[in-house]
Amino acid sequence: MDIKQIIKEEHLLLEKRIAQLSSTIDITFGFDVVKTKHAEKRKDVTKRGLGHEMMISNAEMKEVLSKYKGDVARSIVGGEIENGTNFVIKDMKFGLSMVIVAEQVHGNYWKLVIKTVFRETYENPLRVGTNQLVIGS
């Protein structure tokens, strides 16, 4: 085999290996989730005269956030969420909407502050700001 053929084959093998490596790179984000006092007060809808609706549990908030954490991470990478951004996560299965403030602690570690929670229905949706990012259904 001549030297040109050997170099060409080595080059192709190297390109293939680089492609294999780049397809397995993952970016990991860490999230801390905290609630404001306002969000804590809004959890109990019966105290607000909305007794026909269920109380919003911490487990429910955690499950909805867990369900959409990949979407939040993609929105951070895509530049839709920056430090200090207010965005909304909606999940009609739970009938729950949350306004969240993203705070970058360092690198890929973010604190998601639940600013407020809202028991949502199709007839009574959470009103969001103009051009405000909404994640979920």
Side-chain angles (χ1 to χ4, degrees), residues 118-131:
F118 185 79
R119 184 60 74 188
E120 182 168 12
T121 63
Y122 289 108
E123 298 80 30
N124 189 23
L126 175 69
R127 292 179 201 96
V128 298
T130 306
N131 299 323

Side-chain angles (χ1 to χ4, degrees), residues 71-96:
D71 295 313
V72 172
R74 280 187 287 282
S75 295
I76 291 170
V77 170
E80 295 172 293
I81 295 176
E82 297 175 344
N83 189 29
T85 299
N86 284 276
F87 65 97
V88 175
I89 293 180
K90 290 185 171 211
D91 191 293
M92 292 310 290
K93 175 185 169 202
F94 285 92
L96 178 63

Side-chain angles (χ1 to χ4, degrees), residues 3-82:
I3 191 78
K4 286 184 181 179
Q5 185 65 24
I6 292 171
I7 292 172
K8 186 177 178 181
E9 286 181 14
E10 287 295 319
H11 184 69
L12 289 174
L13 287 174
L14 180 60
E15 282 184 5
K16 181 180 177 186
R17 184 65 183 146
I18 289 171
Q20 288 173 340
L21 291 174
S22 65
S23 67
T24 60
I25 293 173
D26 290 325
I27 297 174
T28 303
F29 281 86
F31 295 114
D32 269 345
V33 178
V34 295
K35 294 180 294 184
T36 62
K37 289 180 182 178
H38 178 74
E40 184 63 33
K41 288 178 184 175
R42 301 251 328 153
K43 281 176 32 175
D44 190 354
V45 294
T46 58
K47 288 183 181 176
R48 294 185 289 129
L50 304 171
H52 63 284
E53 299 179 23
M54 286 184 344
M55 183 169 172
I56 301 167
S57 70
N58 288 340
E60 207 173 1
M61 286 185 266
K62 182 179 173 184
E63 189 169 342
V64 169
L65 275 168
S66 181
K67 180 177 177 180
Y68 293 105
K69 69 182 175 186
D71 295 313
V72 172
R74 280 187 287 282
S75 295
I76 291 170
V77 170
E80 295 172 293
I81 295 176
E82 297 175 344

Side-chain angles (χ1 to χ4, degrees), residues 108-119:
N108 289 343
Y109 194 76
W110 291 70
K111 181 167 55 170
L112 302 179
V113 180
I114 301 173
K115 194 172 179 179
T116 191
V117 293
F118 185 79
R119 184 60 74 188

